[in-house]
């Protein structure tokens, strides 16, 4: 790994990373405050949660039916499954993963970078190290935000954060899979816009599959194609244990795509500026 490339990548990405972390913490603050209001008016929310459309939507983002378990810990799980959380984390990973590999080629600076006494593997490893650090931070931020803002906006009963902690591990595995996919695509592209488009297309198709599965029985066999099929926070909170199958799938996908990216970046031709 190259210290110089690592430092340069960190300098180029720290502001975006800080903005993403601040946005995630602001989101958790809003959710913590919203949960206080929801807990106080739970009787009025019950008929809404029983509507089939609402139940399916909740099942989509939380991985299980919320009815029957409206405890403070179950409600707090929403802070680990809000769609905006994925948007913020994945935007950061896509921006960073495409900025150094495909981005350098797109800007015409890759040939200059590769003339330095640094191997392609070192460049790839340095970029990956910065991505790993930011992935850990954005994966831990939701739980940290909920913990802090639950003290500011306490619910009517204690939240069991020991049951929420495994969700952060599953979220980390999910983000690692998205990061690995981004690096693999970026290493094969010469245009940053194309790399971003491909990754976004894969993620959108994945989310579409998850949506179709909730409302169309015939789509059920395709549910394994959705990233969020392997991230179901509410069942984790209820069991208090990590799902080994989902975790293995996500980490395997992260490792395989990362290795594909490394292999391709070391062997590919870099067009001249």
């Amino acid at each position: 790994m190259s210290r110089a490339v690592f430092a340069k990548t960190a300098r180029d990405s720290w502001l975006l990373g800080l903005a993403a972390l601040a946005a995630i913490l602001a989101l958790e603050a809003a959710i913590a405050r919203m949960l206080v209001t929801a807990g106080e008016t739970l009787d009025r929310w019950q008929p809404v949660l029983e509507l089939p459309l609402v139940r399916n939507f909740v099942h989509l983002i939380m991985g299980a039916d919320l009815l029957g378990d409206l405890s403070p810990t179950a409600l707090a799980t929403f802070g680990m499954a809000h769609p905006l959380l994925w948007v913020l984390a994945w935007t950061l990973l896509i921006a960073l993963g495409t900025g150094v590999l495909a981005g350098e080629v797109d800007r015409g600076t890759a040939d200059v970078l590769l003339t330095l006494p640094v191997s392609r593997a070192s460049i790839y490893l340095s970029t990956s190290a910065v991505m790993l650090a930011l992935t850990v931070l954005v994966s831990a931020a939701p739980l940290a935000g909920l913990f802090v803002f639950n003290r500011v906006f306490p619910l009517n009963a204690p939240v069991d954060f020991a049951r929420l902690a495994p969700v952060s591990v599953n979220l980390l595995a999910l983000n690692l899979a998205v990061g690995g996919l981004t690096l693999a695509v970026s290493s094969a592209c010469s245009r940053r816009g194309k790399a971003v488009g491909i990754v976004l297309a894969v993620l959108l198709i994945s989310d579409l599959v998850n949506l179709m599965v909730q409302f169309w029985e015939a789509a059920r066999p395709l549910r394994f194609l959705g990233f969020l099929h392997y991230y179901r926070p509410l069942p984790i909170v209820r069991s208090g244990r990590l799902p080994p199958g989902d975790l293995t799938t996500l980490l395997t996908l992260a490792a395989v795509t990362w290795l594909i990216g490394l292999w391709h970046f070391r062997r590919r031709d870099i067009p001249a500026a």
Side-chain angles (χ1 to χ4, degrees), residues 127-141:
T127 303
S128 300
V130 176
M131 280 194 69
L132 176 61
L134 288 176
T135 302
V136 171
L137 288 175
V138 297
S139 300

Side-chain angles (χ1 to χ4, degrees), residues 64-87:
D65 195 342
L66 186 60
L67 289 177
D69 180 18
L70 293 176
S71 65
T73 304
L75 291 174
T77 307
F78 186 63
M80 310 287 289
H82 195 285
L84 185 56
L85 175 63
W86 308 324
V87 171

Side-chain angles (χ1 to χ4, degrees), residues 2-268:
S2 168
R3 291 184 180 179
V5 177
F6 177 88
K8 177 183 180 301
T9 305
R11 285 196 305 269
D12 291 344
S13 59
W14 75 269
L15 186 59
L16 182 59
L18 186 62
L21 287 171
I24 290 174
L25 292 177
L27 172 65
E28 298 305 328
I31 290 175
R33 183 63 187 90
M34 180 194 70
L35 291 177
V36 173
T37 303
E40 294 171 350
T41 59
L42 202 55
D43 292 339
R44 282 182 282 173
W45 281 96
Q46 187 79 18
V48 177
L49 292 173
E50 292 175 353
L51 295 174
L53 182 62
V54 176
R55 292 183 69 176
N56 285 333
F57 179 75
V58 172
H59 194 285
L60 172 66
I61 64 174
M62 300 185 71
D65 195 342
L66 186 60
L67 289 177
D69 180 18
L70 293 176
S71 65
T73 304
L75 291 174
T77 307
F78 186 63
M80 310 287 289
H82 195 285
L84 185 56
L85 175 63
W86 308 324
V87 171
L88 292 169
W90 295 352
T91 298
L92 174 64
L93 296 179
I94 293 172
L96 177 57
T98 60
V100 178
L101 304 182
E104 291 286 354
V105 179
D106 196 11
R107 291 189 296 270
T109 55
D111 50 349
V112 177
L113 178 63
L114 295 176
T115 59
L116 299 175
V118 185
S119 68
R120 292 192 185 189
S122 294
I123 295 172
Y124 190 88
L125 290 171
S126 301
T127 303
S128 300
V130 176
M131 280 194 69
L132 176 61
L134 288 176
T135 302
V136 171
L137 288 175
V138 297
S139 300
L143 181 64
L146 282 175
F147 182 81
V148 171
F149 292 113
N150 180 244
R151 269 57 185 172
V152 180
F153 308 113
L155 295 174
N156 55 4
V159 175
D160 188 352
F161 283 95
R163 288 186 172 270
L164 286 173
V167 180
S168 284
V169 179
N170 201 170
L171 179 60
L172 174 60
L174 174 66
N175 289 333
L176 287 174
V178 173
L181 170 67
T182 302
L183 287 173
V185 172
S186 182
S187 69
C189 293
S190 298
R191 293 290 180 266
R192 188 180 188 185
K194 181 180 179 181
V196 171
I198 292 173
V199 177
L200 285 178
V202 172
L203 293 176
L204 287 173
I205 292 172
S206 166
D207 290 343
L208 179 61
V209 169
N210 280 286
L211 181 62
M212 291 170 59
V213 164
Q214 299 300 319
F215 299 97
W216 190 20
E217 187 69 29
R220 292 292 173 86
L222 300 176
R223 62 183 180 273
F224 73 95
L225 296 175
F227 278 86
L228 297 181
H229 174 67
Y230 306 100
Y231 178 68
R232 293 171 287 185
L234 194 53
I236 295 175
V237 168
R238 287 174 174 170
S239 66
R241 298 188 301 272
L242 282 167
D246 294 346
L247 208 61
T248 300
T249 300
L250 291 172
L251 292 178
T252 300
L253 178 61
V256 169
T257 51
W258 184 86
L259 288 172
I260 290 174
L262 174 60
W263 175 83
H264 197 281
F265 188 67
R266 292 181 64 187
R267 295 173 59 90
R268 66 166 296 186

